[in-house]
Amino acid sequence: MTREEINQAILYLNQKFIPFPTFDSAIKAIYRNLELYRQTGIAEFIFIGGESGAGKSSLCEWMEHQLPKVVLPERDIKPCLVVEIPSDATI
């Protein structure tokens, strides 16, 4: 394999998504929460926290991809709004 082929393979793999059990459980919990909101109006927000490298950003990016912005003539609807808080922030 040439260096260019290796670089292309790495680029290809970096664009792939392989869910793992904990990630899959988090996705299911988010969808349950979303369904609860749609049925009752309860549970409008979700807080995602965890150790560095746990997959929080990947989870948010995946949800944003699954729930994209809808552009209408009169307004835009963004069903998934991600707000990142720096790790050194105090709440």
Side-chain angles (χ1 to χ4, degrees):
M1 223 179 196
T2 68
R3 185 182 225 37
E4 180 60 29
E5 290 172 327
I6 292 170
N7 288 338
Q8 289 299 318
I10 291 170
L11 180 62
Y12 173 79
L13 290 173
N14 281 337
Q15 295 171 348
K16 296 300 169 192
F17 174 75
I18 302 170
F20 52 95
T22 308
F23 192 92
D24 193 45
S25 295
I27 293 294
K28 288 176 183 173
I30 289 170
Y31 275 113
R32 283 193 304 273
N33 189 283
L34 183 58
E35 189 58 33
L36 175 66
Y37 172 71
R38 288 177 175 162
Q39 292 176 358
T40 66
I42 298 172
E44 295 181 42
F45 307 99
I46 298 172
F47 173 80
I48 299 171
E51 299 286 326
S52 177
K56 299 176 300 291
S57 295
S58 296
L59 182 64
C60 291
E61 290 168 10
W62 192 85
M63 288 306 301
E64 281 185 307
H65 180 72
Q66 295 300 307
L67 301 166
K69 179 170 78 171
V70 178
V71 178
L72 302 172
E74 65 278 1
R75 65 183 173 162
D76 293 350
I77 299 172
K78 187 163 176 120
C80 182
L81 176 65
V82 175
V83 178
E84 294 185 29
I85 301 173
S87 59
D88 59 352
T90 56
I91 300 175

